[in-house]
Amino acid sequence: MQLRESNIRKLRDRDFDALVIGGGINGASAAAALSGKGAKVALIDRGDFAGSTSMQSSNLVWGGIKYMESGDFKLVRKLCKSRNHLIRSYPSTVQEIRFLTTINKGFRHHPLYPWAGTWLYWLMGSAFTRRPHFLRPADIKAREPIIDTRNARGGFEYSDAYLHDNDARFVFNFVRGALDFGTVAANYVESLGSRREGDHWVTEVRDRMDGATFTICSKVLINAAGPWVDQHNRLSGQHTEHRHVFSKGIHLIVPRLTDSKRVLAFFADDGRLFFVIPMGMRTCIGTTDTRVDRPEVEVTEEDVRFVLDNINKRLELDKPLGKEDIISTRCGVRPLAVKPSGGDDRDFLNLSRKHAIDIDHETRHLSIFGGKLTDCLNVGEEVVEEVRRLGVTVPHPDYRWYGEPPAAVREAFMHQARLMELDAMTAAHASEPLSLRLWRRYGAQAVEMLEDIRQDPRQGEVLIEGTEYLRCELRQARRREMVTRLEDFLRRRSKIALVVPEETIRRSPGLEEACEILFGDQAQARLAEYLAEEGDPLPVNAAPESEGDGAAHAAPRGG
């Protein structure tokens, strides 16, 4: 909590070049890009960073193959280039994965037609990934015995990418990068509205942890509030060219259905792409696509029935999946950017996730609409360019603000890890060697953990039952990750709450010690707060209690 308290004081006392409202992927990348290039930046979120849309994705980093059917080739080309750039920039986190798509009889196209589309998709992606392959039903069955091919006409296999970790973790690493560049960031700080005074924006905010209110002054105001962009623009008197419409999507996390290291793709009963996504010892299935009027959504019985019905129709399981198999759910909205005169009601299901940035040059205000994880580096660069055009000095315009540390730093870490035989400490149920996981999640900061373990071997022990998390990781989270509530750690800095049954977490003997490490003298209050929260209303399966936090355990990242 010390980092957050220090930053709250700085938010009160300093003037900033830009205030970014919203710590999802758009706000996090904007703050990292601006501060990495030398601007003075503040970042606030009314909840936790990545606490809304950015933690509810499919964990896929893809070029938008589905947009080819609607002829949006320019967007597909842009997203494919963005995907490739992310794979190169984050090789430990954003990785290629194969998609196996099955086409059943009665589908609107013969399998050869979408297969030909995958070749065009591959070429539009600069042939960066492995080549597509056409598959007969027997080939599909040979690769994936779990697929019911009795009604299949054929299929194909092609490549895209996925996040080897949690989507919210990926977003937070941009926030952490922004902090390293000098951004003053704080979660649980809510904007109450902004007004223009002279040549500055004055934003009144409330600290949601203690109720205190204060103001933040900035030359530029960047509204990156995700699904709530329109709402905050009303508070600040902004009129924009775009607005949002919302599509609700849910995923169900269930015990692992197949040992496959690939994504299984189908066309659901409503014609939309439907995925079975590997997640270590778990499987993520979904998604739905339901138009809603508000960004506040929840999982309904109808949603669950849709996902379970679709998956049970397409897979041959020893026992059909039921509600009792659901370990956790993901539920959020996709904010889709439209123009009020654009006729968005005509073809809602084909609206794309492309982003739009509306700018009020007179008041120096930016509103970021839409967007997805795949496009995050473009959003950051575009925001920097627009802020420069608004007259803010950016001292280091050519600085590269993203990507993993250099190979030499990685090798130095791995060498130290080998010398101390770190991987021998890897938990038996872990999804990958400890050295790889620590490097992927913490980069150069992982070196600090090696020193913690050398000084005290207990720091290398797993603390919370059924997870891979070590004591030293919780110490790191307290020092550097602004964990304000227990859920921040369990659901967003880690993926524990997604892959471990809630009841297992609540009764873990290490949970109280974890709170003591994370919160010090506030430990009991934070633990009581977590235990008092309502659990998932859906039945959970308490059987498999051992799960690593690694995502799809693939050999060869969403949103």
Side-chain angles (χ1 to χ4, degrees):
M1 297 288 282
Q2 186 175 358
L3 174 59
R4 182 178 182 275
E5 291 166 0
S6 173
N7 281 2
I8 292 288
R9 291 192 294 269
K10 293 175 183 176
L11 289 173
R12 296 171 180 264
D13 298 338
R14 298 182 182 179
D15 287 351
F16 298 93
D17 292 326
L19 168 62
V20 181
I21 298 174
I25 187 59
N26 288 338
S29 58
L34 283 166
S35 56
K37 293 174 183 289
K40 298 176 183 177
V41 181
L43 170 66
I44 61 172
D45 195 292
R46 71 175 183 176
D48 189 28
F49 305 118
S52 181
T53 295
S54 293
M55 73 169 188
Q56 308 291 3
S57 78
S58 300
N59 274 27
L60 300 179
V61 179
W62 59 335
I65 190 171
K66 66 178 182 178
Y67 304 136
M68 293 185 65
E69 190 171 10
S70 57
D72 202 343
F73 298 116
K74 183 178 179 180
L75 175 62
V76 172
R77 170 64 175 160
K78 181 180 179 182
L79 291 177
C80 281
K81 291 171 66 176
S82 300
R83 176 203 64 196
N84 298 348
H85 192 30
L86 282 171
I87 292 173
R88 286 190 294 262
S89 300
Y90 296 94
S92 300
T93 303
V94 184
Q95 300 176 348
E96 180 178 347
I97 192 170
R98 296 296 272 179
F99 283 62
L100 194 163
T101 304
T102 302
I103 304 296
N104 285 332
K105 297 171 184 175
F107 184 64
R108 57 185 179 270
H109 300 299
H110 188 278
L112 288 172
Y113 182 83
W115 171 69
T118 65
W119 275 91
L120 178 58
Y121 184 65
W122 180 69
L123 292 170
M124 293 178 73
S126 303
F128 185 80
T129 59
R130 294 163 59 193
R131 294 181 181 181
H133 295 293
F134 181 78
L135 302 174
R136 295 179 175 84
D139 301 323
I140 296 173
K141 196 69 175 177
R143 281 172 166 78
E144 286 291 347
I146 196 174
I147 297 176
D148 185 349
T149 57
R150 288 172 295 182
N151 194 40
R153 296 187 69 187
F156 47 89
E157 195 173 61
Y158 69 99
S159 287
D160 249 310
Y162 79 116
L163 284 171
H164 193 83
D165 213 326
N166 193 8
D167 46 8
R169 178 75 206 184
F170 184 68
V171 174
F172 178 76
N173 282 342
F174 281 105
V175 177
R176 183 61 257 177
L179 288 164
D180 292 339
F181 293 136
T183 289
V184 179
N187 52 6
Y188 297 98
V189 174
E190 179 179 13
S191 170
L192 303 177
S194 306
R195 63 184 183 276
R196 193 72 178 166
E197 291 187 1
D199 60 354
H200 278 72
W201 281 99
V202 176
T203 301
E204 185 176 359
V205 302
R206 179 175 64 229
D207 183 344
R208 297 185 67 193
M209 299 307 293
D210 64 10
T213 60
F214 57 95
T215 59
I216 303 173
C217 294
S218 62
K219 296 175 184 176
V220 174
L221 187 64
I222 300 174
N223 181 357
W228 295 276
V229 164
D230 298 295
Q231 179 180 317
H232 194 272
N233 278 341
R234 287 192 291 271
L235 289 176
S236 303
Q238 285 291 308
H239 302 281
T240 55
E241 182 180 8
H242 291 85
R243 65 179 179 86
H244 275 144
V245 295
F246 306 113
S247 167
K248 183 178 80 167
I250 78 153
H251 298 84
L252 307 181
I253 312 300
V254 298
R256 186 167 64 186
L257 299 180
T258 171
D259 292 335
S260 167
K261 307 299 188 292
R262 56 170 68 89
V263 175
L264 309 184
F266 306 92
F267 288 91
D269 292 344
D270 65 357
R272 294 285 285 179
L273 278 169
F274 185 84
F275 299 112
V276 176
I277 304 168
M279 191 178 278
M281 294 299 291
R282 306 292 184 238
T283 296
C284 176
I285 54 176
T287 178
T288 59
D289 203 349
T290 309
R291 182 158 188 174
V292 293
D293 296 326
R294 303 173 68 243
E296 295 81 17
V297 291
E298 60 185 13
V299 179
T300 67
E301 292 287 339
E302 184 180 1
D303 295 329
V304 173
R305 189 165 54 251
F306 173 87
V307 175
L308 293 178
D309 285 350
N310 271 281
I311 200 63
N312 286 325
K313 286 178 184 177
R314 289 159 176 82
L315 299 182
E316 288 187 324
L317 303 172
D318 293 337
K319 173 178 171 291
L321 281 175
K323 287 178 60 177
E324 68 278 4
D325 296 304
I326 299 170
I327 296 167
S328 63
T329 64
R330 312 181 94 160
C331 177
V333 296
R334 308 170 187 91
L336 307 170
V338 300
K339 295 181 179 180
S341 58
D344 55 274
D345 289 327
R346 273 179 321 192
D347 198 7
F348 171 71
L349 292 179
N350 282 327
L351 289 175
S352 77
R353 297 284 303 279
K354 63 184 176 184
H355 72 269
I357 302 178
D358 285 1
I359 303 151
D360 185 330
H361 293 87
E362 182 178 351
T363 64
R364 298 205 284 192
H365 184 284
L366 279 69
S367 302
I368 308 176
F369 294 89
K372 57 190 298 179
L373 288 169
T374 311
D375 213 18
C376 61
L377 301 185
N378 290 329
V379 170
E381 293 288 354
E382 289 174 31
V383 167
V384 170
E385 186 56 34
E386 295 300 342
V387 169
R388 288 181 68 192
R389 290 175 181 169
L390 293 176
V392 173
T393 300
V394 178
H396 310 291
D398 298 324
Y399 184 79
R400 191 174 188 266
W401 51 275
Y402 55 86
E404 291 185 13
V409 179
R410 182 183 189 276
E411 180 51 37
F413 166 78
M414 290 298 178
H415 181 64
Q416 289 192 47
R418 287 191 293 269
L419 290 176
M420 63 186 291
E421 299 182 343
L422 180 70
D423 287 344
M425 305 178 193
T426 305
H429 60 267
S431 60
E432 62 185 328
L434 189 52
S435 59
L436 292 179
R437 189 174 68 82
L438 293 183
W439 173 260
R440 188 186 69 251
R441 293 180 61 82
Y442 305 104
Q445 278 69 49
V447 177
E448 300 176 17
M449 298 182 196
L450 298 185
E451 185 60 28
D452 287 344
I453 295 171
R454 275 193 289 261
Q455 292 183 14
D456 176 8
R458 291 182 70 250
Q459 297 303 316
E461 297 175 356
V462 171
L463 184 57
I464 300 176
E465 178 186 354
T467 78
E468 296 182 22
Y469 275 83
L470 313 180
R471 282 185 174 85
C472 64
E473 292 184 80
L474 277 87
R475 290 180 61 178
Q476 179 81 350
R478 177 172 181 170
R479 287 194 299 259
R480 297 180 54 83
E481 298 192 353
M482 208 175 293
V483 175
T484 304
R485 303 174 67 231
L486 184 54
E487 185 196 6
D488 301 341
F489 177 76
L490 294 175
R491 177 62 178 83
R492 288 175 285 278
R493 305 300 181 272
S494 76
K495 201 169 54 186
I496 293 171
L498 273 179
V499 296
V500 177
E502 183 178 2
E503 209 40 54
T504 301
I505 298 172
R506 287 173 174 257
R507 67 171 184 257
S508 171
L511 190 61
E512 187 168 349
E513 184 183 346
C515 285
E516 291 171 358
I517 295 172
L518 289 169
F519 304 115
D521 58 7
Q522 296 185 26
Q524 289 303 315
R526 297 281 80 86
L527 179 60
E529 176 186 63
Y530 171 74
L531 295 176
E533 292 174 350
E534 288 189 14
D536 192 331
L538 294 168
V540 297
N541 175 28
E545 296 183 352
S546 208
E547 167 59 25
D549 188 53
H553 191 197
R557 99 136 208 39

